[in-house]
Amino acid sequence: MSNKEIIDQGRECVMNTYSRFPVTLVRGEGSRVWDADGKEYLDFVSGLAVNSLGHCHPRVVEAIQRQAETLLHCSNLYWIEPQVKLARMLVENSVFDKVFFANSGAEANEGAIKLARKYAKLKSGPEKFEIITMKQSFHGRTLATLTATGQEKFHKGFEPLPAGFKYVPFNDLDALKKAISRQTCAVMLEPIQGEGGVNVADPVYLRGVKNLCQEQGLLLIFDEVQCGMGRTGKLFAYEHYGVEPDIMTLAKALGGGVPIGALLAKEEVARAFQPGDHASTFGGNPLACAAGVAAFSALLEEDLVSNAEKVGDYFLGKLEALKERFPFVKEVRGKGLLLGMELTVPGGPVVSYCLEKGLLINCANNYVLRFLPPLNISRQEVDQVTSILEEALMHLEEKNGM
């Protein structure tokens, strides 16, 4: 079927919850994808940071094929080797001791909220339940995680929202201090906000948050669903800051393209969960965990974290040069290959122009062009992207008479 035929059929039977582009992607290989009409695109969205190894990485594909022929699903009533292997890899490469597997980032964050409340009630009493999160954050679409998300646009239409969440400005330690009450049990944040517009935590601020949590007996939760797994040029974003959270969540890149999320915690905190407190039928599924083991192995053994840092710096420099060229580029920011370019005008037309020229990019918060390419991209591919982007910005400049 063609792009149009698939889209027309989809509009008849798929629920209308996404603003989709008029393209049907049917195949992917490395950093390239092809639509149903045969057009090729350079993918700098990567499934919103899911395809960090590029599309259909051979090691992930081989692991899925092998696991699918062996054991496709197994209840968590029993142990399975791929789940234990992936948990061990996460523990051995992080500051955490225990792992719980979920299906998505939202589900991992839901688990983090439950764990923080359970731990606080056991340690400090039943009045401890409040979690402070940051404005412009994004933690998911379930009812609790959209409430944790510090953006009103995600709340509208879903009230009444669950109680126990409070929001403060990101990178504002004084505001956080003032917001803490006797009911507060945890602070939850993304070291680098993705959906909120690629906002990077200041190192002094993040260390201040850690100190404040220690002084007040609060848990510190890092949502690394998007910024974890090598995306920022470190394996985990907390490594940039020398700050160890008590709980961390992962998802997007963890399965190399297969849905999986994870909740990691230090031993003392993890002990708060006992059998029956939390569960997930599909969480830690053999297929997803086998893919996760292969993806994690490739990430470490193919030096992709280092590549994200080096090529990310190169890409950042290219974007900075465009900022000097176009006055309506307000700021360029980010770390590794999680980069944003904030405009003073809406970025939608730039995204559409790039799509027409065979480049997939994304716009967060209406004004921030967000770049999330695979971690194994080359400098030549960055050159190709910035060339198209420059054309798009010139087109925008001419169209708006700027």
Side-chain angles (χ1 to χ4, degrees), residues 68-81:
E69 294 171 350
T70 309
L71 184 67
L72 206 50
H73 179 71
C74 174
S75 162
N76 279 306
L77 291 171
Y78 311 99
W79 293 96
I80 54 169
E81 189 176 4

Side-chain angles (χ1 to χ4, degrees), residues 292-311:
V293 170
F296 206 162
S297 299
L299 182 69
L300 297 177
E301 294 166 14
E302 296 177 12
D303 204 23
L304 301 186
V305 180
S306 173
N307 192 65
E309 181 186 16
K310 292 172 186 170
V311 180

Side-chain angles (χ1 to χ4, degrees), residues 160-367:
L161 300 173
F165 294 93
K166 192 183 282 184
Y167 318 102
V168 295
F170 192 46
N171 274 331
D172 187 338
L173 194 60
D174 288 336
L176 177 59
K177 284 179 186 173
K178 290 174 185 171
I180 293 171
S181 74
R182 64 182 179 81
Q183 295 176 319
T184 306
C185 73
V187 175
M188 182 175 185
L189 59 84
E190 303 153 277
I192 301 176
Q193 295 180 335
E195 175 65 31
V198 191
N199 303 309
V200 182
D202 182 88
V204 174
Y205 164 74
L206 216 52
R207 288 194 286 273
V209 173
K210 175 66 178 179
N211 292 337
L212 195 55
C213 286
Q214 287 180 321
E215 290 167 11
Q216 299 288 331
L218 311 177
L219 291 178
L220 179 58
I221 305 169
F222 278 4
D223 175 344
E224 295 214 18
V225 166
Q226 183 167 131
C227 63
M229 302 304 294
R231 171 60 55 186
T232 64
K234 299 281 188 188
L235 187 54
F236 302 111
Y238 71 77
E239 296 175 47
H240 288 287
Y241 299 93
V243 172
E244 294 185 8
D246 303 292
I247 298 172
M248 179 175 74
T249 56
L250 300 171
K252 293 184 179 293
L254 184 58
V258 174
I260 183 171
L263 160 64
L264 290 75
K266 295 196 172 181
E267 177 65 41
E268 184 195 348
V269 179
R271 274 201 300 267
F273 268 172
Q274 293 297 307
D277 282 339
H278 196 51
S280 171
T281 295
F282 291 107
N285 166 278
L287 196 71
C289 287
V293 170
F296 206 162
S297 299
L299 182 69
L300 297 177
E301 294 166 14
E302 296 177 12
D303 204 23
L304 301 186
V305 180
S306 173
N307 192 65
E309 181 186 16
K310 292 172 186 170
V311 180
D313 286 345
Y314 179 72
F315 193 11
L316 186 69
K318 288 281 188 177
L319 296 177
E320 290 280 8
L322 291 178
K323 176 178 176 291
E324 296 303 313
R325 161 77 175 78
F326 298 98
F328 55 90
V329 177
K330 183 179 178 183
E331 188 179 14
V332 174
R333 53 183 181 255
K335 284 184 182 294
L337 289 171
L338 172 47
L339 298 174
M341 172 184 273
E342 183 171 357
L343 308 180
T344 58
V345 294
V350 177
V351 175
S352 297
Y353 185 93
C354 289
L355 179 71
E356 188 182 325
K357 297 295 179 181
L359 169 63
L360 305 183
I361 61 171
N362 169 254
C363 185
N365 238 357
N366 204 31
Y367 290 89

